[in-house]
Every structure is written in C-alpha cells, then in structure tokens.
C-alpha cells in the first residue's frame, strides 16, 4: 500500500512541476531580453521513471523500494525566436525586428491542460488507494 501511495505522490509532484514550468513559459511570453541577453527560451520538463531494479531491492531494508516518476531535467527549446517588426522597440535590431520568445500560447495552454488532467487522475488514484486502505482496516473490526 505504501509504495502505491509513494508512486501516486511522485506523479503528483512531477505534474505540479510541469504545470509550474508551463505557467513560467506563459508569464515570459513577451520577455525580449533575459540575463543572457537573448529572448526567453521555452522550457520543457523531461520525466523519467524512478527505476526499481533487483539490485536496489536487495540493497534496501526489507526489500521495500518505491517506483514512480521524477523530473529528470528541464530543457530549453532550441526553436527559432519569433521576429516581429517594431523599429521603436528598444530591443529591435538594425532591420527593426524584435526577437520574441519561442513560446506558443496555445501549445502552453494545451500542455497546462494535459498536466492538470494527469494531476487529477493521480489524485483520484491516491484517493482510491486511501479508501482501499481504510476498508482493509475496517475488515479487522
């Protein structure tokens, strides 16, 4: 039971992080200059399985190992920036173009919805595990 709670909990944490990154992308959709001197680059979350292998099971106390998911890394998108003609903008180049971030509002909203749905699904799984554990405790009465 406890490992099931841990797996669902790890998924909740990972999906919450994914939502935060999507919101950060949306918040920086108009940032034309960062500390690096270039427009904001879209960030994407990469998940990986928290691997459970036989060696780890043997090394841990009583063979209790939790699987699940974790955030492996956050990568910056290498797509081209979006040029917009605005010669009055302070960040405009010699031709009058301003480079805007490579963030697509629709893409971020879809990613945010997918992360939200996955979060809800994992929350439902967590509640099912919890109610199953409570029912198991009632059996002993």
């Amino acid at each position: 039971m406890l490992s099931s709670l841990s797996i669902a909990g790890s998924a909740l944490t990972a999906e919450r992080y994914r939502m935060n990154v999507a919101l950060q992308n949306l918040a920086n959709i108009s940032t034309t200059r960062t500390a690096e001197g270039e427009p904001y680059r879209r960030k994407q979350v990469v998940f990986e399985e928290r691997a459970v292998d036989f060696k780890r099971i043997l090394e841990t106390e009583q063979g209790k190992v939790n699987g699940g998911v974790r955030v492996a890394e956050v990568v910056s998108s290498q797509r081209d920036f979006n040029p917009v003609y605005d010669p009055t903008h302070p960040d405009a180049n010699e031709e009058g173009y301003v480079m805007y971030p490579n963030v697509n509002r629709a893409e971020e909203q879809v990613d945010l919805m997918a992360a939200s749905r996955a979060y809800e699904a994992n929350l439902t799984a967590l509640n099912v595990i919890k109610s199953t554990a409570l029912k198991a405790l009632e059996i002993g009465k």
Side-chain angles (χ1 to χ4, degrees):
M1 277 292 173
L2 291 178
S3 65
S4 298
L5 287 172
S6 177
I7 290 168
S10 72
L12 287 172
T13 302
E15 291 299 341
R16 177 67 188 173
Y17 195 86
R18 181 176 162 200
M19 283 189 269
N20 286 340
V21 169
L23 289 170
Q24 179 183 357
N25 288 339
L26 285 171
N28 286 294
I29 202 162
S30 297
T31 304
T32 57
R33 189 182 316 162
T34 61
E36 292 83 28
E38 65 177 13
Y40 176 82
R41 285 196 176 274
R42 178 178 190 252
K43 304 215 178 342
Q44 296 171 290
V45 178
V46 178
F47 292 154
E48 78 176 4
E49 178 185 3
R50 287 194 305 191
V52 179
D53 59 7
F54 188 67
K55 183 179 178 189
R56 250 184 83 203
I57 291 172
L58 289 176
E59 290 173 353
T60 59
E61 186 177 319
Q62 299 174 357
K64 294 180 182 175
V65 178
N66 299 325
V69 67
R70 71 178 192 91
V71 175
E73 63 181 322
V74 177
V75 296
S76 295
S77 173
Q78 296 306 311
R79 277 194 308 212
D80 292 337
F81 295 119
N82 300 322
V84 174
Y85 185 73
D86 184 3
T88 61
H89 194 283
D91 291 330
N93 62 15
E94 303 81 40
E95 291 99 30
Y97 285 94
V98 180
M99 297 306 226
Y100 278 91
N102 55 2
V103 177
N104 181 317
R105 186 181 309 274
E107 189 176 14
E108 294 307 319
Q109 288 175 334
V110 168
D111 199 29
L112 193 56
M113 279 193 318
S116 177
R117 298 281 190 238
Y119 187 89
E120 290 172 9
N122 283 296
L123 193 57
T124 301
L126 190 68
N127 287 331
V128 167
I129 295 164
K130 193 168 62 171
S131 67
T132 303
L134 289 174
K135 291 291 182 187
L137 289 175
E138 288 178 9
I139 291 173
K141 288 183 181 181

